[in-house]
Structures are given as structure tokens and as C-alpha cells.
Amino acid sequence: MASEHITTFYRNVYRRLIHLYPKAYRERFAEAMVQTFDDLCHERKHEQSGSMLSFALHMFSDTAISIIGEHLEIMTNTIKNTPIEILGLILLIPFSLLFLVGMAWQFLNTLGYASSPNLGAFIPNPDLGYALIFIFPALAFLINFITLIVGAIRVGPGSALSTQFAKTHLFTLVIIVLSAGATLFIFGHDVIPCFVHGVLREGLNNIWPLIKTCGNA
Amino acid sequence: MTNNPLTPLTPAVLYILLALSTQERHGYGIMKQVEQDSKGKVTMGPGTLYGSLKRMLEAGLVEESTQRLDPAMDDKRRIYYKITGLGKKALAEELERYRHLLSLAEEKKLFPEIFAYGL
């Protein structure tokens, strides 16, 4: 009776483990895998060879390794199929890290647990810092925006405005939104308010000097 | 040479193809046959088995079968697999590769040396 409880317990654990597989894999093989596990449990009980624990550990570790392998395969395929989007994501990493550290630092500063944020301390080379924070997000936006435009031209204006196009280019769109947000945040701190204020004050007559002035702000 | 991405075949894939070369089998049936063929040296869990089967299906080495050859263990959840023409070709090529390696080892008179070291 006790062994029946243990077997049921292992079966339940195995079923839960199977849920960690990627959806497509799960839909195709989950039922068959559970059936095979049941067969092996039945055989183990019938033969009474070795402990159920060592058997279960072998099955669980084998399946856990397989789960990791399937997810890694999906990640590898994603990288292979969407290199521009992945490059965009990588270009956004330095800004994202500095943004998060800056926000956390600011929060702690507000609570009185830290000094004023000084993110420059993390970047020894000013040119590198400028590239990491200012250029990379803009570059990520640019390359993904061009990819989207090229895709839209290929399918034609009718299909480019469809939901299907948005679905198939979802990753590109996400990167565009993130990089545009980052770029606006970076330049928006000083440049955009300065520019908007200048235009409101002086109109569009002296636009080029205004761009230069705000660019140096 | 067959144009499949799984060559050279991994031990798991080779044993699965060998198990399916004689008849169609379901997952548990393949595992039992592999265990028997390898004299208990290769015991794969469901994770390894179905992971290998997925890649073999994608490469066209095996395919799902609608037949039910084991009525005693029939269950709707069971999927039977059979070897394809491409799978047979890949298996034949892999066995030929092993045959070539063995003849090479014999030519170089490596066997007595290996046996002398008890390997």
C-alpha cells in the first residue's frame, strides 16, 4: 500500500516536471512521456529491483536535463532566426543596467541610505560611456526600424498594416519600442525639453542654432 | 551520404534506429529493445528518448505510425514510431562507418594491443 502511495507521488511529480517543457514539445510528447514513465514505474514495482527513489531520481534528472536542452535549442534557434533583434537587445543591455542601478541608487538616496547617484563612477572611459549610453540604444532603434521597414516593403502596404505582420514582427516591434523609449529618455532629459521650449519661444526661424544649442545642453 | 543533420549518429539515435529496424515500437518498447540490444549498458530515460525522437522526426529518420502492434499494451496515449527510408540509409551508413573503423583497427593490429591492456 505504501509503495502505491510512493508511486503515485512520483507520477504526480513527473507530470508537474513535464509541464516545464516548451509548449510545442509538451503538446506533442507529454502524454506519451507520462505513459512511458507509468510503464517504467509498473515494471519497477513488478520486478522489485532496486529502490524506487534511485529510479525516480534517474528519471527526474534525465527529464530535467532534457527540459534544459529543449529550452536552449529554442534560444539558439531564436538567435539564429532574429540576429538583428538580438543585436538590438544586446545594445540595450548597458543602458538598461545603468538605468536600473541609477533608479535603485536614487531610491536609496531618497530614503537616506546612499549618497547622490554618480553613475560616471562605473565608466572609466568617457568615450566608451558616451557610446554605451547614448549611441547604442539609438543604434538598436535604427537597425530594428530599418529591418521593420524592409519587411513592410517586402510584404507590401496592405499586409504590412495587418495584425499578422505585427505578430510575425513582434520581437522587432518590442525592441523598437524599448530602444525608442531609452533614446527618448536619454536625450529627453535635456535636449527635447530645451528644443520644445526654444521652438515655443522663438518659432521655427532659428531652428539650426537651436538644435546646436540644445545638442550641447 | 544521407543529408541529415544528425550524422554522425549519437549512441542514443543509433540504438533507437536499431530498435526500430526490425519493427515499429512505442516509447517504452524502444527503451526495452535498446536495453536488450546494448546488454543493459544503455538505459535511457523518457527525456533522452523523446528528445532524440523529436530530432529524428525533424530529420526525417523516423515517423509516427498509426498501427497498433502491441494490443496487450494498447493505449491511446501511446505513439508508435517506424523507421523511414532515410533512417534506414542513415543506419546503413553509420554501420558501414563502424565496419570501416573496425577493419582499420584490424589492419593496424590494434585489437591484441587493446585486449592486452584489458580495455
Side-chain angles (χ1 to χ4, degrees):
Chain A
M1 196 62 186
S3 74
E4 189 59 44
H5 281 304
I6 290 168
T7 310
T8 309
F9 171 72
Y10 288 144
R11 275 178 186 153
N12 289 336
V13 173
Y14 195 74
R15 278 174 195 274
R16 286 176 194 278
L17 192 61
I18 295 280
H19 272 90
L20 298 177
Y21 271 109
K23 194 181 171 205
Y25 185 99
R26 207 167 57 229
E27 283 174 355
R28 190 164 190 186
F29 298 108
E31 284 297 312
M33 285 184 81
V34 170
Q35 175 65 57
T36 306
F37 183 77
D38 286 350
D39 287 337
L40 290 165
C41 279
H42 181 77
E43 176 198 290
R44 193 76 173 191
K45 258 174 51 184
H46 187 69
E47 288 181 355
Q48 292 183 334
S49 57
S51 77
M52 271 307 272
L53 179 65
S54 66
F55 160 76
L57 287 178
H58 175 232
M59 292 296 118
F60 295 163
S61 58
D62 172 82
T63 303
I65 291 166
S66 167
I67 289 166
I68 294 167
E70 291 304 323
H71 282 287
L72 283 177
E73 195 181 312
I74 287 177
M75 278 171 66
T76 313
N77 287 338
T78 307
I79 291 169
K80 274 184 196 166
N81 296 332
T82 53
I84 299 291
E85 290 82 351
I86 295 294
L87 179 63
L89 202 60
I90 291 168
L91 289 171
L92 281 174
I93 289 173
F95 166 79
S96 308
L97 288 176
L98 283 172
F99 178 79
L100 289 173
V101 170
M103 285 291 129
W105 201 337
Q106 181 66 52
F107 179 68
L108 290 174
N109 175 253
T110 311
L111 295 178
Y113 292 117
S115 58
S116 294
N118 176 21
L119 293 174
F122 288 108
I123 308 161
N125 185 335
D127 290 336
L128 176 68
Y130 186 79
L132 289 176
I133 302 166
F134 288 84
I135 307 293
F136 281 17
L139 199 61
F141 173 79
L142 201 64
I143 57 174
N144 278 278
F145 190 68
I146 291 169
T147 307
L148 191 74
I149 296 296
V150 170
I153 291 169
R154 274 189 190 151
V155 297
S159 304
L161 295 171
S162 66
T163 319
Q164 186 59 33
F165 182 79
K167 273 183 188 170
T168 51
H169 291 79
L170 187 63
F171 194 14
T172 317
L173 285 166
V174 168
I175 299 295
I176 286 173
V177 169
L178 288 176
S179 54
T183 309
L184 282 174
F185 179 83
I186 293 159
F187 290 104
H189 255 89
D190 297 319
V191 181
I192 291 174
C194 166
F195 188 75
V196 171
H197 188 249
V199 169
L200 289 174
R201 195 181 57 223
E202 298 175 25
L204 296 169
N205 297 329
N206 294 316
I207 193 83
W208 183 242
L210 186 62
I211 289 171
K212 281 207 285 190
T213 308
C214 292
N216 293 326
Chain B
M1 285 287 284
T2 53
N3 188 25
N4 87 75
L6 298 182
T7 50
L9 305 180
T10 62
V13 171
L14 177 60
Y15 273 111
I16 292 170
L17 283 178
L18 276 171
L20 294 174
S21 64
T22 48
Q23 71 172 75
E24 298 171 14
R25 294 176 200 278
H26 48 67
Y28 178 70
I30 295 172
M31 285 168 105
K32 294 290 49 173
Q33 190 58 43
V34 168
E35 205 177 322
Q36 193 181 318
D37 288 344
S38 66
K39 296 184 169 59
K41 284 181 183 168
V42 178
T43 51
M44 55 177 85
T48 306
L49 173 72
Y50 284 94
S52 302
L53 281 171
K54 185 197 132 202
R55 280 178 277 284
M56 292 166 79
L57 284 161
E58 285 167 356
L61 301 180
V62 296
E63 62 187 12
E64 287 178 17
S65 169
T66 49
Q67 286 188 32
R68 292 283 177 269
L69 299 174
D70 196 354
M73 293 190 80
D74 204 7
D75 188 304
K76 267 196 276 185
R77 291 179 298 175
R78 284 186 202 285
I79 304 171
Y80 280 73
Y81 297 94
K82 63 179 175 186
I83 192 167
T84 61
L86 190 65
K88 283 177 189 168
K89 203 173 167 198
L91 178 61
E93 278 175 10
E94 191 70 359
L95 294 177
E96 186 54 41
R97 201 172 68 84
Y98 276 94
R99 195 203 302 272
H100 173 71
L101 283 172
L102 279 174
S103 64
L104 198 67
E106 274 174 11
E107 255 177 50
K108 292 180 183 287
K109 302 187 188 313
L110 290 174
F111 280 114
E113 213 172 301
I114 290 170
F115 290 144
Y117 287 105
L119 293 169

